[in-house]
């Protein structure tokens, strides 16, 4: 029994590391066939660790004081790489997310491990049963506490928002220093009776816990900054709406003035070509209202109507084919932001085209395979550069760079969907994909 326990004890760190990594996977969006990815990977890692940690060569290197630095490097590198691989395998993570989560995974595991050693050193009893009880009590409590207080708040909309790579680098650097010095002291002080041993554990716990707390505070600061940016963006959008309303009002005033004179002239005219031309001009001026209100969704009608006079003045044609079934699952404000931002983006793009015949925006809303698609296509000129899947702005004012499309992306992910953008051969295509089956809609309402 003792021999079996000693053989399995070599897997303690790898098991704790996989468990800590799972804490960061839980709130994140998962890849398809999540369990079929997770279970074989964990099983293979446990089996490989069991074989290696019980081999004579590994034991000789790990227990030798001559290889302290090598032990530290191997320890941090292997476990960090293992966490990164598991995260990338199970979740659609970005590169900076992988680095960020792998570093914090090491922090959580080290807090748990140091807590176990500290508690075991304070208990005046030894043995397999004591060690097992300490681990079964310490690990779940530590993981639950840090998941609730640190890890879960860091994940928003199914991903970790890492906007400052320098912060990630500092986190990794500080942690590596703490981990290496801690492991070195553990190796040098083989007995827990050494006065440096509990000091080392407390130091390690404080360093790693501080790193997690810093991340939470940084995330809160970023959330507050994002809220301020959103408020500024909404104010800017309202200002643009006011300007658009003023332009529409001026255009309506001009149209009414023209209609008044055209009607007066028509009354004075007798039947003939001139009167027919006046009637055609009146019909053309009134046509703008018939072109913008042909859908079954009031929000879509409002957006098209808001931009109709603007597009008419700039010879922009908006072609809309919309099956509005499913749009009612979106909140009115969210739907308005999606439609307004995507349409404004297309209008800005086609306005730069010299040929009026190319100023065509194709808006389609349709359902397919349980998904609702909001698709906007238009021609564009020049070359677009992308960052994180979104095109970079060409405006001089970059304060709200890509904020509209970022808002669309955030809303889409909030509803379990995604935003995709392609720009090829002078054709720009933006597509918002949202799940709208009854089961998915019920799931969103139950978790909202």
């Amino acid at each position: 029994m003792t021999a079996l326990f000693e053989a399995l004890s070599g897997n303690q760190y790898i098991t704790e590391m996989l468990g800590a990594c799972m804490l960061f996977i839980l709130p994140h969006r998962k890849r398809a066939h999540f369990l079929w990815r997770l279970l074989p990977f964990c099983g293979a890692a446990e089996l490989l660790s069991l074989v290696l940690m019980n081999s004579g060569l590994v034991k000789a290197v790990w227990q030798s004081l001559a290889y302290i630095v090598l032990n530290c490097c191997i320890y941090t590198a292997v476990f960090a790489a293992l966490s990164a691989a598991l995260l990338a395998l199970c979740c659609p993570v970005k590169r900076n997310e992988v680095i960020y989560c792998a570093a914090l995974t090491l922090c959580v595991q080290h807090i748990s491990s140091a807590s176990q050693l500290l508690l075991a050193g304070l208990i005046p009893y030894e043995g397999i049963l004591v060690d097992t009880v300490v681990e079964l009590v310490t690990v779940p409590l530590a993981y639950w506490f840090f998941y609730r207080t640190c890890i879960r708040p860091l994940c928003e909309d199914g991903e970790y928002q890492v906007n400052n790579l320098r912060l990630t680098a500092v986190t990794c650097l500080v942690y590596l220093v703490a981990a290496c010095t801690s492991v070195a002291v553990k190796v040098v002080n083989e007995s827990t009776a050494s006065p440096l041993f509990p000091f080392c554990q407390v130091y390690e716990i404080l360093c790693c816990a501080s790193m997690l707390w810093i991340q939470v505070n940084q995330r809160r600061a970023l959330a507050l900054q994002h809220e301020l940016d959103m408020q500024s963006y909404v104010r800017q959008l309202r200002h643009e709406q006011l300007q658009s309303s003023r332009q529409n009002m001026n255009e309506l005033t001009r149209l009414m003035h023209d209609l008044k004179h055209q009607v007066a002239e028509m009354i004075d005219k007798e039947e003939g070509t001139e009167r027919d031309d006046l009637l055609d001009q009146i019909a053309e001026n009134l046509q703008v209202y018939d072109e913008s209100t042909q859908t079954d969704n009031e929000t879509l009608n409002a957006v098209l109507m808001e931009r109709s006079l603007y597009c008419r003045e700039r010879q922009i044609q908006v072609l809309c084919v919309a099956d509005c079934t499913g749009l009612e699952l979106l909140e009115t404000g969210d739907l308005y932001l999606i439609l307004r931002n995507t349409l404004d983006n297309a209008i800005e793009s086609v306005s730069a085209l010299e040929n009026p015949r190319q100023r065509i925006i194709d808006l389609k809303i349709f359902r397919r395979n349980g998904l609702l698609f909001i698709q906007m296509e238009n021609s564009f000129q020049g070359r677009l550069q992308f960052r994180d899947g979104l095109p970079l702005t060409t405006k001089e004012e970059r304060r709200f760079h890509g904020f509209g499309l970022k808002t669309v992306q955030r809303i889409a992910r909030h509803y379990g969907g995604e935003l995709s953008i392609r720009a090829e051969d002078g054709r720009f295509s933006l597509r918002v994909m949202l799940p709208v089956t009854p089961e998915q809609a019920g799931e969103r309402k139950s978790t909202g």
Side-chain angles (χ1 to χ4, degrees):
M1 185 67 179
T2 303
L4 177 62
F5 179 80
E6 291 179 353
L8 295 176
S9 63
N11 276 33
Q12 175 185 351
Y13 289 119
I14 192 72
T15 303
E16 292 177 3
M17 182 60 64
L18 293 173
C21 190
M22 273 299 303
L23 298 180
F24 289 88
I25 293 175
L26 285 177
H28 203 283
R29 292 180 292 117
K30 314 296 190 302
R31 294 188 186 274
H33 310 296
F34 165 68
L35 290 179
W36 288 104
R37 295 170 179 268
L38 174 68
L39 297 180
F41 184 92
C42 293
E46 291 281 358
L47 183 60
L48 183 61
S49 174
L50 184 64
V51 173
L52 291 178
M53 294 305 294
N54 288 283
S55 65
L57 177 61
V58 172
K59 285 185 176 181
V61 173
W62 182 253
Q63 296 175 359
S64 174
L65 300 180
Y67 298 103
I68 294 177
V69 176
L70 180 61
N71 289 337
C72 294
C73 294
I74 294 176
Y75 178 83
T76 53
V78 169
F79 284 137
L82 186 70
S83 300
L86 183 57
L87 283 163
L89 181 66
C90 297
C91 302
V93 289
K94 302 174 185 176
R95 182 174 56 184
N96 54 356
E97 281 187 277
V98 170
I99 299 173
Y100 185 75
C101 292
L104 296 186
T105 296
L106 292 170
C107 284
V108 173
Q109 189 276 331
H110 254 61
I111 292 174
S112 171
S113 177
S115 300
Q116 291 178 58
L117 294 173
L118 183 62
L119 184 60
L122 296 176
I123 297 177
Y125 302 101
E126 296 182 358
I128 297 176
L129 181 60
V130 173
D131 293 340
T132 303
V133 171
V134 168
E135 183 169 0
L136 292 178
V137 171
T138 306
V139 174
L141 286 178
Y143 282 13
W144 175 83
F145 176 78
F146 284 103
Y147 177 79
R148 296 287 297 179
T149 59
C150 297
I151 299 174
R152 188 64 189 88
L154 291 174
C155 189
E156 181 179 352
D157 294 333
E159 64 180 18
Y160 295 93
Q161 303 293 334
V162 188
N163 297 324
N164 194 335
L165 293 179
R166 289 178 298 179
L167 180 62
T168 303
V170 170
T171 301
C172 297
L173 179 61
V174 173
Y175 168 71
L176 289 175
V177 171
C180 291
T181 54
S182 177
V183 172
V185 174
K186 289 177 188 176
V187 175
V188 173
N189 297 277
E190 297 179 353
S191 173
T192 58
S194 170
L196 287 178
F197 191 85
F199 173 79
C200 173
Q201 309 314 314
V202 173
Y203 167 75
E204 184 176 2
I205 292 173
L206 291 177
C207 284
C208 295
S210 297
M211 287 300 100
L212 291 170
W213 184 246
I214 288 172
Q215 305 313 307
V216 174
N217 285 328
Q218 179 71 12
R219 182 70 196 103
R220 289 173 180 170
L222 291 174
L224 290 175
Q225 183 61 48
H226 175 73
E227 184 177 350
L228 291 175
D229 291 341
M230 279 295 296
Q231 292 176 358
S232 299
Y233 174 69
V234 170
R235 287 196 297 269
Q236 183 193 37
L237 188 60
R238 288 176 178 172
H239 175 73
E240 292 178 355
Q241 287 178 323
L242 178 60
Q243 293 295 107
S244 177
S245 298
R246 288 175 178 173
Q247 291 177 358
N248 288 344
M249 185 60 67
N250 293 334
E251 182 68 13
L252 284 173
T253 302
R254 186 185 65 79
L255 286 175
M256 293 302 103
H257 180 77
D258 291 345
L259 284 173
K260 182 180 70 173
H261 288 282
Q262 289 169 354
V263 169
E265 291 179 15
M266 184 184 67
I267 294 175
D268 295 335
K269 296 290 184 181
E270 297 180 358
E271 295 289 342
T273 303
E274 293 185 4
R275 184 164 181 166
D276 292 340
D277 291 340
L278 288 172
L279 287 173
D280 290 340
Q281 292 178 20
I282 293 173
E284 182 181 353
N285 288 333
L286 294 176
Q287 187 179 3
V288 64
Y289 301 103
D290 294 331
E291 293 175 346
S292 304
T293 56
Q294 298 299 319
T295 74
D296 297 328
N297 186 273
E298 293 182 358
T299 304
L300 176 57
N301 293 339
V303 172
L304 294 175
M305 187 61 194
E306 282 179 0
R307 309 306 285 164
S308 60
L309 293 176
Y310 182 90
C311 292
R312 181 175 183 269
E313 182 181 353
R314 288 160 179 76
Q315 296 180 286
I316 298 173
Q317 186 177 5
V318 180
L319 305 179
C320 179
V321 178
D323 175 10
C324 299
T325 307
L327 289 181
E328 67 276 2
L329 296 177
L330 280 73
E331 294 184 7
T332 302
D334 293 337
L335 178 59
Y336 177 83
L337 286 175
I338 289 177
L339 295 173
R340 177 63 188 268
N341 284 314
T342 53
L343 183 58
D344 283 353
N345 184 75
I347 290 174
E348 179 184 349
S349 179
V350 299
S351 295
L353 299 175
E354 297 180 359
N355 188 355
R357 294 183 179 180
Q358 294 181 331
R359 299 174 190 166
I360 300 175
I361 299 173
D362 188 10
L363 170 60
K364 295 180 181 178
I365 301 177
F366 57 95
R367 296 180 62 177
R368 182 182 298 167
N369 299 327
L371 292 175
L372 173 66
F373 292 88
I374 301 176
Q375 181 174 294
M376 196 84 65
E377 293 185 346
N378 59 270
S379 300
F380 75 98
Q381 64 180 9
R383 183 177 181 181
L384 296 179
Q385 295 182 348
F386 285 78
R387 178 182 296 171
D388 297 330
L390 298 177
L392 295 176
T393 183
T394 57
K395 297 180 179 179
E396 295 182 1
E397 175 58 49
R398 295 178 178 269
R399 182 183 177 187
F400 296 102
H401 149 59
F403 212 83
L405 293 183
K406 286 181 180 178
T407 301
V408 174
Q409 185 181 61
R410 185 178 297 273
I411 293 173
R413 291 179 177 177
H414 172 72
Y415 286 91
E418 191 55 81
L419 168 68
S420 66
I421 297 176
R422 292 188 304 171
E424 298 177 353
D425 301 327
R427 192 70 177 170
F428 184 89
S429 176
L430 181 149
R431 176 178 287 187
V432 180
M433 297 167 286
L434 302 169
V436 293
T437 60
E439 295 79 6
Q440 291 167 318
E443 181 181 350
R444 285 203 303 273
K445 291 181 179 179
S446 64
T447 58

